[in-house]
Amino acid sequence: MSWMAWTTPSALFFIGIACILIGMTYWEIVSPCIARKGFFPMETTRGDRLFISLLSAAFIHLGFIGFTEVTIWLPFTVAIIWLLIVMKWG
């Protein structure tokens, strides 16, 4: 693993993603989900909505980094709020 320059933020990011995936796996085992249609134009499962949220979070961060000079905490907050909206109503 010496080929990658691990920093605390990058390690925390990957640990966070791993924890989310472990939590979603446990949730699916305890309470299997049924595909449903929310505000997206297709039926989605919890896993689909998580994937959409994570992909959206990447674009939210890239947009803020590319077009503004604000602190990274603002896009992080926007991405978390978007994740909650997608998971609840998506």
Side-chain angles (χ1 to χ4, degrees):
M1 298 287 280
S2 63
W3 59 270
M4 184 171 176
W6 284 98
T7 63
T8 301
S10 63
L12 291 174
F13 172 79
F14 287 108
I15 289 169
I17 296 296
C19 289
I20 289 171
L21 292 173
I22 290 168
M24 288 292 289
T25 302
Y26 176 76
W27 191 9
E28 187 65 29
I29 291 169
V30 171
S31 173
C33 74
I34 299 169
R36 65 176 173 83
K37 189 169 181 337
F39 62 79
F40 291 123
M42 61 192 163
E43 286 189 347
T44 57
T45 64
R46 279 187 217 124
D48 297 332
R49 291 187 297 275
L50 175 66
F51 178 75
I52 291 167
S53 299
L54 292 174
L55 193 59
S56 299
F59 286 111
I60 289 168
H61 281 82
L62 287 173
F64 272 88
I65 290 169
F67 298 112
T68 69
E69 296 291 326
V70 299
T71 178
I72 198 70
W73 291 106
L74 181 61
F76 175 75
T77 304
V78 171
I80 294 296
I81 291 169
W82 176 244
L83 176 128
L84 296 172
I85 290 169
V86 168
M87 293 303 286
K88 177 72 175 172
W89 296 294

